[in-house]
Amino acid sequence: MGGPRFEPVRAVRAYERVVEQIEEAVESGALTPGERLPSERELMVQFSVGRSTVREALRVLQARGLVRSRPGDPNGAEVLPFSPVVLKKSMTTLARVSELSLGELVQFRMVLDATAVLLAARLRTEEHLAEMAAAVDDMKAADAADAAAFGAADAAFHDAVARAGGNKLIQVCTDVVRAVMAGLVEDRLARAPDREALMRRGVAHHEDVIAALRAGDGPLAARLTRQSMYDYYAGHLPAEERAALRALLE
């Protein structure tokens, strides 16, 4: 039979329509951070819905980080500025439950870290370089038996690089992926036959990256970052995933 093909419709609850309209107002700029929504009673009138529907919509909006709502507040819910916290929660859930392979996570981090250092090479300040150097000093000071301390200092280094690049989305994504992979870093240090040698290689790599950033050589810093990531994680991956990583080194 000819003619158009239609898709099944989905029943939409009233509170979802309320959420959609308020989200659209925030996204369009009709509602800006610091402004307040009308009171619950006024929202009931404007949307022609009951109190339970308005409260459910406000709960959803609050969970998404768009508003701060206090029950019974006569001034209405406050519209909040953007925060990466909600995005971070969503990405963490995605990474943990959607069957992403370690190889995919490492690939993503290679791309993120390389981009971060490219930006940092152009935008870094002396203060940023000092933060990176301080993190490397902490890595040097970490005892070989304390993988957690070494990992924390390594994380501080990458946080400083991401801040120097100035891209909040890269900062959030890097933080999430690193958190998901953190256990592997500590596990490798714990199992390494010569932890001190592995830690020294990590320190030397970070010092090379700082030197490249200080010289403003973003491409070199990016190559160093990708190679270090490959060297660190490739041994944990099957052959086909290692091949995919090598493509990022070319």
Side-chain angles (χ1 to χ4, degrees):
M1 180 177 176
R5 294 183 61 83
F6 299 105
E7 296 180 357
V9 297
R10 180 177 68 89
V12 179
R13 298 177 180 177
Y15 81 85
E16 293 177 302
R17 291 300 190 198
V18 175
V19 169
E20 287 175 3
Q21 289 194 48
I22 294 176
E23 282 183 330
E24 288 171 3
V26 172
E27 291 166 2
S28 69
L31 283 171
T32 58
E35 288 191 78
R36 289 185 175 272
L37 299 179
S39 66
E40 285 186 1
R41 184 177 299 277
E42 180 60 27
L43 289 174
M44 290 165 57
V45 172
Q46 290 190 31
F47 288 113
S48 296
V49 295
R51 186 179 301 276
S52 62
T53 297
V54 167
R55 288 185 172 176
E56 182 63 23
L58 291 174
R59 278 194 291 270
V60 171
L61 291 165
Q62 183 159 290
R64 294 179 183 177
L66 288 176
V67 304
R68 177 166 49 227
S69 176
R70 298 182 181 86
D73 186 345
N75 296 315
E78 179 185 2
V79 178
L80 298 176
F82 168 77
S83 168
V85 173
V86 176
L87 176 60
K88 186 174 178 179
K89 288 181 180 178
S90 299
M91 288 193 64
T92 301
T93 301
L94 174 66
R96 292 188 184 280
V97 306
S98 65
E99 299 181 353
L100 294 176
S101 70
L102 176 61
E104 289 172 312
L105 289 169
V106 175
Q107 286 177 46
F108 188 41
R109 186 168 172 194
M110 286 173 73
V111 171
L112 285 173
D113 284 11
T115 303
V117 294
L118 281 169
L119 290 170
R122 289 289 188 92
L123 302 174
R124 95 292 184 280
T125 64
E126 288 301 317
E127 288 76 15
H128 290 134
L129 292 173
E131 288 179 7
M132 296 174 207
V136 172
D137 286 343
D138 288 341
M139 292 172 71
K140 292 178 181 177
D143 187 273
D146 194 349
F150 186 86
D154 176 70
F157 174 86
H158 290 286
D159 285 342
V161 171
R163 284 195 299 274
N167 186 301
K168 290 185 176 64
L169 190 56
I170 288 178
Q171 292 178 49
V172 173
C173 293
T174 300
D175 191 29
V176 171
V177 175
R178 186 178 63 237
V180 174
M181 298 167 63
L184 181 59
V185 176
E186 293 185 15
D187 181 66
R188 174 155 189 208
L189 282 175
R191 294 173 180 270
D194 188 347
R195 298 181 194 173
E196 290 189 13
L198 184 61
M199 293 165 76
R200 284 196 299 271
R201 286 198 297 273
V203 167
H205 157 70
H206 287 65
E207 290 178 328
D208 289 344
V209 170
I210 292 177
L213 294 179
R214 190 178 297 279
D217 194 340
L220 173 59
R223 287 196 300 274
L224 290 168
T225 296
R226 289 191 296 265
Q227 185 66 57
S228 175
M229 198 75 64
Y230 177 84
D231 293 343
Y232 199 92
Y233 290 104
H236 295 273
L237 302 174
E240 62 273 15
E241 292 193 348
R242 286 199 301 273
L245 291 189
R246 282 197 298 271
L248 294 175
L249 301 178
E250 299 172 357

